[in-house]
Amino acid sequence: MIDERSRKKLILEHSRRMNAADIDGLLELYADEVTFEDPVGSGRRTGRDALRAHFEELAAAGISEIPGEPVAGQDGVHVLVPVTATMDYLPKGPGFAERGWLTAPDAPENSRITWDYVLMMRAGAGGLIQELQMFWGRSDIGITG
């Protein structure tokens, strides 16, 4: 079990490293066999290699996460944080539009995706993140610009 304060710091550190596009540093926070789902319902993926590819796509789009106040579970392993994020429509946006998650903009090269989600992490005894889930739906994502 990891104390609440440490779990809250861990989830905020995730956002800090994501905003810095520090993919190697970000992956240091994760267990080798991490499972993740973004968004929940899109299918679980496993391992750091898959997570690296996911984070690299987000970094290529210039993602910027603004986390709210984290909330730690009383179970000693979970922590959640609400996040407001923005990123360039390209390169990930066309895949979102293809899945029906948003409507493609007229000028994709000048557009940004904005969305609100809840980030959930489960940490293991060693202090590494074992599971990552992002909860958001179609009503939580949109286009600006």
Side-chain angles (χ1 to χ4, degrees):
M1 291 179 46
I2 301 169
D3 67 74
E4 289 184 18
R5 185 175 177 186
S6 296
R7 282 180 279 139
K8 288 178 178 184
K9 282 183 174 182
L10 182 63
I11 204 165
L12 293 175
E13 184 62 15
H14 164 91
S15 288
R16 189 192 72 74
R17 292 183 190 190
M18 186 77 254
N19 288 342
D22 179 5
I23 305 303
D24 289 332
L26 190 55
L27 290 171
E28 290 174 356
L29 302 175
Y30 287 86
D32 290 338
E33 293 303 315
V34 60
T35 61
F36 69 101
E37 194 170 12
D38 178 14
V40 168
S42 66
R44 295 178 75 82
R45 292 174 273 176
T46 302
R48 278 189 180 178
D49 289 342
L51 192 59
R52 175 183 291 280
H54 181 67
F55 287 156
E56 285 175 347
E57 288 179 340
L58 294 172
I63 193 165
S64 174
E65 291 186 340
I66 301 171
E69 281 297 316
V71 176
Q74 294 184 22
D75 60 1
V77 294
H78 286 93
V79 61
L80 296 93
V81 68
V83 175
T84 298
T86 60
M87 70 179 182
D88 295 336
Y89 180 78
L90 298 174
K92 285 189 70 75
F96 287 10
E98 187 177 288
R99 289 180 180 96
W101 295 342
L102 52 76
T103 302
D106 293 332
E109 63 281 349
N110 297 324
S111 298
R112 292 192 50 85
I113 297 171
T114 61
W115 76 104
D116 296 313
Y117 50 88
V118 174
L119 186 61
M120 186 283 299
M121 294 179 181
R122 178 176 50 84
L128 295 177
I129 300 165
Q130 293 181 320
E131 180 180 18
L132 169 71
Q133 291 184 307
M134 295 176 69
F135 292 81
W136 56 272
R138 189 173 184 342
S139 64
D140 302 313
I141 188 170
I143 300 290
T144 59

